[in-house]
Structures are given as structure tokens and as C-alpha cells.
Amino acid sequence: MNQWPALEKQHPPTWLKSIVICLLALGIFFRFAHLGHKVYWHDESFTSLAISGHTLAEIKQEIFNHQGIIPITTLDKFQQINPDRGIGDTVRYLITSDPQHPPLYYVMARLWAQLFGDSPAQVRSLSAVISLLIFPCVYWLCLELFDAPSVGWVALGLIAVSPLEIFFAQEARQYGLWMVTILLSSAALLRAIRRESLWSWGLYALTLALGLYTHLFTILVAIAQGIYVVISQQFRWHKTLRNYLIATAMGLLMFLPWLIIFITHLHTALQINLLWSGNLLGNTIDNIFERIVGFLIIFLMRTSRVFIDINLASDSVVESYLSFSIIWIVLSLALIIYLLYFLLYKTKNKPRTFILTLWLFPSLSLLLCDTIYGGIQSINFRYTLPSYLTQQIAVAFILTNHLFWDNTWKQKVCKFIMVGLIIAGVFSDISLFKAETWWIQMRGTYFTEISQIVNKTESPLLISDNHPISVGMTLTLSHRLDPKVHLLTTPFDQVVTIPQDYNNLFFIDPSSSLLHQLQQDTTYSLKLIDPSVGFWHICHYVSLEG
């Protein structure tokens, strides 16, 4: 049976509304609490660089090609609002230094920082405010998809305390806004199909353009939505299909200015992509089968973290799947299998087709790309947000059906599961509330530890080259280092003259030639503090003897 008449138009009971309202209040608290507590990590430092109005070339020229020692506080200029630069300079940074990131969020962040301040907590507060929009958007989508208010209320409760949404609500990046646009465009599409009016299709075109101006992977969402439209129209030419194509074309036309910029600067975007998301698994996974198995196991672990996440992972992108808990893999696999079973055999065509396409297509597309060309896009938690959002909605739909339609043992089981998911979410939120770093923040833990070590030493000097990774790490550390720390920059892979006036020298990911130079010099003692980021502590032997 694939009909659920009891849910349609059914008003949710008072007890459900009361619980969800409490969860919403709790979720809002966790979204705004301790915004400045966590490490302002690598990606967020580049957000501050963008809204400062300076470009990556400028910081390299002015700081990292600088001859001589400068205070670490000199970098504050590139992490704070410059009154002499405006929104146009923020867009210029994106064009020249980060063209794969569309400008909508960064323009909003620039305006927000001008009004409310540019400290890490103040910049992050924009994401927290944006995250509140996810509540009306997910409720609207549930109404359009299921025509059942009860599903919307259950989805609100799950998303309110989900560690997934709360983390991105506290990150100074565009991913919280992207989730809002995914939900918004999906609801607008279903409304347009239902009403077939000029204004409804115009709204869909606008929301699609907003999504594209937020994240380029919105194109995968748009394709998934197109597959749904084609299937729902039974592969026949129809007015709905025609209107969809026109609206999509209008959305793409609105995005055309940035698309031209992206294509023009494609070489820069590809270089950055290879630098940050290259084939990091190539050394450990030798063939396609092992690669796919590794990706799928990692994806299963990420699936469970949508509902419970207590910061057990150690890295944001690549994790050794041999260390994964078998219990969580089995539970995640069981969840996915039941979701597929329920959607295929117990659900109406409309929600079934929509959920399956938006859940599976973006992730499978990235997996196929990684399998063929190498890379780790498919296991990057941020890039698979469309799938996780859809999964949460599907779980809410199934729980609601069993809670309000079944009178069997399934109802009791689902009550137990729902309570368990809520408790797991709240427990995860408390862990997130107390933590200084989170596993999604690549190398966040290392930055905290490194800054503590440097700040405790006497007369510390930080040495860094102008490689993009080193630039990002230096900007990140600048938020946590004491003003007493000084900085010496050098061109990448070149010999540097080591100053004699500093007792403690710290190198960030030194090049091979520089490392060889230091190892050959017997007047220095080298200690590798953190091999994961290539952070070295160097002392003069004279200082050691003294």
C-alpha cells in the first residue's frame, strides 16, 4: 500500500507542537552560543580576507614577499574591514583569487561586517541568522511534498537539534546559506508545478539563481530537480516541462555574468581545487573497486553524523575507514536500506521520485567523478549537503507515518527512535557547544595546539613561505597568536637567512630545499611538532646550552 490518507491535511497534535517549539528554542540557543569560542579555521580566514577587500596576490606581495621581520599583528589588516575598500573589492578578490566561490554570501558578509563588526564571532553571526531561515523553508518543502503539516513539524524538530545544521550555522562560510537555497528552490519548484502560474515559475527561476550565486554545486541540485520533472511528466512533452525549461533557462541567464567570470578564470579555479581537494587517497587506495568501497564506507559514517556527532573523527575529508565503528556503519546501512524500501514500496510517486533524485543524484555524481578522475569531492561533508538534507526529510516522513498512522509495534518502535534521535542530537549539540574545534574544521585541532606552543615560548619567530597552503595556515594562526610573535616570510622553496636574535623559531610546512638547508646546518636543533601540517620548532644549539 502506498497511500497515507491519514496524514494529509491532518493537524499535528498539541504535544508534538510543544516538543518541537522547545527543540526550536534549544536549537536557536545552540546556533548563537559561543560563536567566538571555536578556532577560526583555515576557510574562515579566507572569508575574512575576502571581506577585507584585499586579494591573495596583494597579501603575497605585501607580506609574503616582504624582506624582513614584521609583527604578526600586521596580518590583521587582511582579516579586518578596510574602510577604503568596498563590495567591489570583495568581488575582485573572488574573481582573481577564488572564482569557484560565487559572490552572494561574501557580499552579504561584507555588508554584515560593516554594520556589526568583523571579529570572528560577529562574522559568524551572519551564518547563525541565515540558519534560522531553514525552519520556514523545510516546513514549506514538507507541505509541498507531502501535503502534511505533521511531517513538517517532525522535520523541524529533527533539524532544530541536528549537529549538521548547527555546525554550519556557526561557520563563516556559505554552506548554511546553500542549505537554505536548496530547500527554497525545491519548494518553489513543487509550488510552480502545482500552480502553473507565471509568478510561481518566476519565483523558481529566482531561487535557482540565488542557489547558483551561493554555490556552484547547485547545478547538481538543478539537474536532480530536472530529472524529477521529466519523470513526473512520464517523459512526455507537457506544459509543465516547457515551463520548467524556460524557468531554468531564466535562472541560468541570471547567473550568466558569474558563469562567464568562472569560465574565464577556470585555470585559477582548477589550480585551487587540485590544491585543496586533490587525489589525497591515491597513495592508499590502488584500484577503482577499493576506492569506491572506501568512499561508500566513509559516506555511511557521515550519514550517521547527521543525527549524532560527538566529534570522534579526526579529519574533515579523509579518514581511515578501518578505524570506523562497525556498529555505526551497520546502523547507517540499515537506515539507508529501510529508507529505500519505504520510499519504493510505501510512498506515493511524487515524494518518492523527488526524494530519491535529490538524495542520490548529487552524491552519486560526485562519486562517479572521483572514481574516474580521482579526488575526494564525494566524501567532503560540505559538498554532499543536498543528500543529507533530503535524508533528514525522508526520516521525518517515515517517523510521522508510523507515529500517526500505524497502530502496530512499528508505532512504539518509531516513538523510541524519535526520542533517541532527539536525545542524540541534543547530546551532540552540547559536545559542539563545549568544543574548541570540530572534525569538519580541517586541521582545527592542530592550530589550537600549535598556537598554544608558540605563545608559551620566549621571543618566538614564525617563518612561512608564500605557498597558498602556508598563507592560509599563517592567517589562521594570526587569530590565536600573541602580539609578541613575529613573522618572517620567504618565497616558496628558496633558501632563507635565519636570524640570530630569536631563541625559538617555528616553521610552517617548510619546502624541501629549506628543510634540507636546516638539517645540514649543525648549529640548529630541529623538532617536528606536528607532522600532519609540517610544523617544526627550531632552536639554536647555543640557546639550548644556555
Side-chain angles (χ1 to χ4, degrees), residues 257-444:
W258 193 262
L259 182 60
I260 293 174
I261 290 173
F262 174 71
I263 294 174
T264 305
H265 295 82
L266 183 60
H267 179 69
T268 301
L270 290 176
Q271 280 187 323
I272 296 173
N273 182 66
L274 291 174
L275 182 65
W276 300 114
S277 302
N279 187 10
L280 299 181
L281 297 183
N283 296 328
T284 57
I285 300 179
D286 298 326
N287 57 60
I288 292 179
F289 176 76
E290 290 181 349
R291 178 180 294 276
I292 293 175
V293 171
F295 285 161
L296 290 177
I297 291 178
I298 292 174
F299 180 79
L300 287 176
M301 287 303 300
R302 302 289 167 81
T303 297
S304 66
R305 292 196 181 103
V306 172
F307 301 104
I308 179 170
D309 190 349
I310 52 176
N311 205 27
L312 293 179
S314 59
D315 193 273
S316 66
V317 177
V318 182
E319 302 172 79
S320 173
Y321 57 83
L322 295 177
S323 66
F324 284 169
S325 167
I326 300 298
I327 296 177
W328 288 114
I329 293 176
V330 171
L331 289 176
S332 297
L333 186 60
L335 171 63
I336 291 175
I337 291 174
Y338 188 73
L339 285 177
L340 289 173
Y341 162 76
F342 193 90
L343 292 172
L344 291 174
Y345 297 104
K346 299 289 186 179
T347 308
K348 295 179 180 180
N349 289 332
K350 175 183 174 181
R352 174 177 64 212
T353 305
F354 188 87
I355 290 174
L356 287 177
T357 52
L358 191 55
W359 182 28
L360 299 178
F361 179 80
S363 294
L364 291 180
S365 299
L366 294 176
L367 177 61
L368 180 63
C369 183
D370 286 345
T371 301
I372 296 175
Y373 300 106
I376 53 172
Q377 310 283 3
S378 60
I379 56 172
N380 191 315
F381 206 61
R382 297 165 179 79
Y383 299 160
T384 50
L385 287 178
S387 298
Y388 296 130
L389 279 173
T390 312
Q391 172 189 303
Q392 288 175 301
I393 293 173
V395 169
F397 173 56
I398 293 174
L399 288 175
T400 307
N401 276 290
H402 289 313
L403 285 172
F404 300 112
W405 193 84
D406 272 333
N407 289 316
T408 65
W409 58 271
K410 292 181 181 179
Q411 186 182 61
K412 297 179 180 179
V413 171
C414 281
K415 286 182 179 179
F416 176 79
I417 292 175
M418 186 171 179
V419 172
L421 291 177
I422 291 173
I423 294 175
V426 173
F427 185 73
S428 300
D429 298 341
I430 294 173
S431 300
L432 184 61
F433 173 80
K434 296 188 295 185
E436 289 191 6
T437 62
W438 207 248
W439 66 273
I440 305 177
Q441 296 173 306
M442 184 174 61
R443 297 172 174 173

Side-chain angles (χ1 to χ4, degrees), residues 69-220:
I69 297 173
I70 58 176
I72 193 69
T73 53
T74 307
L75 293 178
D76 293 347
K77 170 184 177 181
F78 301 94
Q79 297 288 281
Q80 297 173 355
I81 288 291
N82 186 337
D84 297 327
R85 305 205 176 197
I87 294 175
D89 296 293
T90 294
V91 175
R92 182 169 61 94
Y93 162 82
L94 295 170
I95 293 173
T96 60
S97 307
D98 223 0
Q100 75 278 11
H101 285 144
L104 179 58
Y105 167 79
Y106 298 93
V107 169
M108 293 173 63
R110 168 71 193 202
L111 293 172
W112 185 269
Q114 287 179 191
L115 292 173
F116 301 103
D118 53 16
S119 71
Q122 289 165 328
V123 177
R124 284 171 171 169
S125 65
L126 171 62
S127 296
V129 171
I130 290 173
S131 72
L132 301 182
L133 298 176
I134 202 171
F135 299 133
C137 289
V138 74
Y139 186 78
W140 182 25
L141 178 56
C142 288
L143 287 182
E144 293 289 346
L145 193 57
F146 308 110
D147 197 21
S150 296
V151 179
W153 279 90
V154 173
L156 284 176
L158 293 178
I159 286 179
V161 295
S162 169
L164 169 76
E165 275 81 9
I166 289 180
F167 172 82
F168 288 112
Q170 294 196 318
E171 185 188 46
R173 296 296 276 179
Q174 71 271 30
Y175 299 102
L177 179 61
W178 189 35
M179 287 191 285
V180 170
T181 63
I182 292 169
L183 296 170
L184 190 60
S185 66
S186 297
L189 173 64
L190 295 175
R191 180 179 183 269
I193 294 174
R194 176 171 56 84
R195 301 193 64 175
E196 290 291 359
S197 67
L198 177 63
W199 290 107
S200 61
W201 282 112
L203 178 62
Y204 171 68
L206 178 61
T207 58
L208 178 60
L210 290 175
L212 290 169
Y213 272 107
T214 301
H215 201 289
L216 289 179
F217 281 171
T218 301
I219 192 64
L220 298 178

Side-chain angles (χ1 to χ4, degrees), residues 40-52:
Y40 199 68
W41 74 293
H42 192 283
D43 283 16
E44 293 177 300
S45 295
F46 278 104
T47 296
S48 289
L49 177 59
I51 64 178
S52 75

